[in-house]
Amino acid sequence: MTCIASRLSAVKPSASMAVSQAAKELAATGIDVIDLGLGEPDFAAPAHITKAAFEAASRERMLYTASLGTPDLRKAIAAKFKRENGLDYALDQIAVANGAKQIIFNALMASVEEGDEILLPAPYFVSYPEMAKLFGGVPVTPECLAEAGFRLTPEVLEASITDKTRWLFLNMPSNPSGAVYSKEQLQALGAVLAKHPQVLILSDEIYEHIIFDGRTFVSFGAASPELLERTLVVNGVSKAYAMTGWRVGYAAGPKDLIKAMATVQSQSCTSVSAPAQIAAKAALEGPQDEVSTFCAAFERRRNLVVEGISRIDALTLDPPEGAFYAYIGCAALIGAVTPSGQTLADDVAVAKYLLDEGHVAAVPGTAYGLSPFFRISTATSEEVLIEAVTRIGRAVAKLKK
Ligand SMILES: Cc1ncc(COP(=O)(O)O)c(C=O)c1O
């Protein structure tokens, strides 16, 4: 006899959380573990953001707000979409939720019927398939190989769409691969989608501001404006402003979908916390110089990791184009034998070996739907990253083929 609903039977807890838990357990035995499992910026949020929230909370009462978010915050979001992405949205096309994650959750709850297919180009963000399954959706996960820059191609997209496809999820820069799409690449995908009017598009642009080598970020909405009436552009303040714990995400999209998402929100958490919405407004409207400083730091760390990994023959890594992860290929390690005589059968075993032998916590590619890889987060100091790459190199050198 269980008290757990059957809809949870196929849903897994977050893989990156599980890795961090394993790292914590090892660290509790006194071992010095470097945890590169979780992805959250290691900077403090810019001071004016926290100040705005604290001042407001000490000055006035903090009450429930509209489920879609305060009009003030939605105005700041509309201005952001106009200024940074060239997109025009009315306030009733904008929703605010407790993180981009809750935005996605609300959107799926509002739109997915049992058996609908959710197209998730792999490697994908770990939560997408699990959320899809919660609502009876069926994840379809075409592999986007390293040789194709981990990008979905028009051919693979066309071959993956069926009459049951409800959503295509795009995520750029990608967690875990860092892949970014050019305007032309997005338009080529848009041309395929134009032929399939039943497909909604969710463009997760939460890493928009963490983009390297002088690339310009192009929102899917801006590249394919003819698809805007079925596109949900998702973003949030977690990554750009180092505000993960404030829990503010937002989206813009078709009015009927946004309205349905507001209904979901009003019957669950009511609204995002009022001070957090004030902080998010300050983030979007205030000075943006620290966003560039964070990005420059992430780019230096990316360079350092790419350089370090290039010195380990058995591993592969093309420079990630954005976000703060390195998705490292480990095909040459599969079948290798550890000093204790274990054969590494897959990337789960590789990640476990790196933790046990190198004391570095990384997430296996299996969690992102594309193997054999492991993901490390580069959201930590340069010294820690240098030490982590050195440890990975040492552990790999102990393996026998
Ligand atoms: C691709 C992607 N989307 C969404 C999120 C969730 O962001 P938020 O903190 O706004 O819920 C993450 C967080 O890791 C992410 O990597």
Side-chain angles (χ1 to χ4, degrees), residues 344-360:
L344 299 179
D346 52 24
D347 56 21
V348 176
V350 170
K352 183 166 186 324
Y353 173 70
L354 293 179
L355 181 60
D356 292 345
E357 183 67 38
H359 304 153
V360 174

Side-chain angles (χ1 to χ4, degrees), residues 39 99-101 125 128 171 175 204 206-207 238-239 247-248 325:
K101 253 178 156 170
F125 174 44
Y128 295 157
N171 169 218
N175 171 9
D204 181 343
I206 190 120
Y207 294 98
S238 286
K239 315 288 177 174
R247 308 308 302 126
V248 185
Y325 307 98

Side-chain angles (χ1 to χ4, degrees), residues 87-294:
L87 295 171
D88 281 301
Y89 288 108
L91 292 200
D92 58 358
Q93 290 185 281
I94 292 173
V96 177
N98 288 290
K101 253 178 156 170
Q102 197 192 21
I103 285 280
I104 299 168
F105 185 95
N106 290 352
L108 291 176
M109 181 178 251
S111 61
V112 172
E113 303 282 8
E114 192 72 33
D116 281 354
E117 291 177 357
I118 319 292
L119 208 47
L120 307 172
Y124 45 70
F125 174 44
V126 286
S127 296
Y128 295 157
E130 306 312 315
M131 285 199 210
K133 286 187 273 178
L134 259 180
F135 302 114
V138 180
V140 175
T141 58
E143 292 190 343
C144 302
L145 303 179
E147 299 76 59
F150 297 108
R151 275 180 280 271
L152 178 67
T153 61
E155 297 72 28
V156 172
L157 173 60
E158 183 73 74
S160 309
I161 294 177
T162 72
D163 51 11
K164 287 199 168 155
T165 309
R166 184 71 175 136
W167 282 97
L168 163 68
F169 277 33
L170 291 174
N171 169 218
M172 59 211 179
S174 150
N175 171 9
S177 74
V180 173
Y181 289 76
S182 69
K183 186 173 184 183
E184 293 69 32
Q185 284 162 342
L186 292 176
Q187 284 170 337
L189 297 178
V192 174
L193 292 160
K195 294 187 270 169
H196 301 278
Q198 83 281 15
V199 182
L200 301 166
I201 301 107
L202 186 147
S203 185
D204 181 343
E205 304 181 356
I206 190 120
Y207 294 98
E208 168 180 15
H209 290 292
I210 306 167
I211 186 163
F212 309 141
D213 309 312
R215 282 184 182 78
T216 308
F217 178 82
V218 183
S219 167
F220 182 81
S224 294
E226 69 286 2
L227 298 177
L228 274 176
E229 63 198 25
R230 49 188 169 106
T231 299
L232 187 71
V233 180
V234 176
N235 212 317
V237 296
S238 286
K239 315 288 177 174
Y241 302 96
M243 289 174 68
T244 47
W246 288 85
R247 308 308 302 126
V248 185
Y250 56 85
K255 269 186 205 163
D256 56 346
L257 177 61
I258 296 290
K259 192 167 168 223
M261 288 163 65
T263 305
V264 173
Q265 179 122 312
S266 71
Q267 298 298 6
S268 51
C269 65
T270 302
S271 71
V272 173
S273 107
Q277 294 191 60
I278 291 164
K281 176 180 177 293
L284 295 174
E285 290 181 341
Q288 302 293 308
D289 43 319
E290 282 181 77
V291 176
S292 322
T293 309
F294 295 162

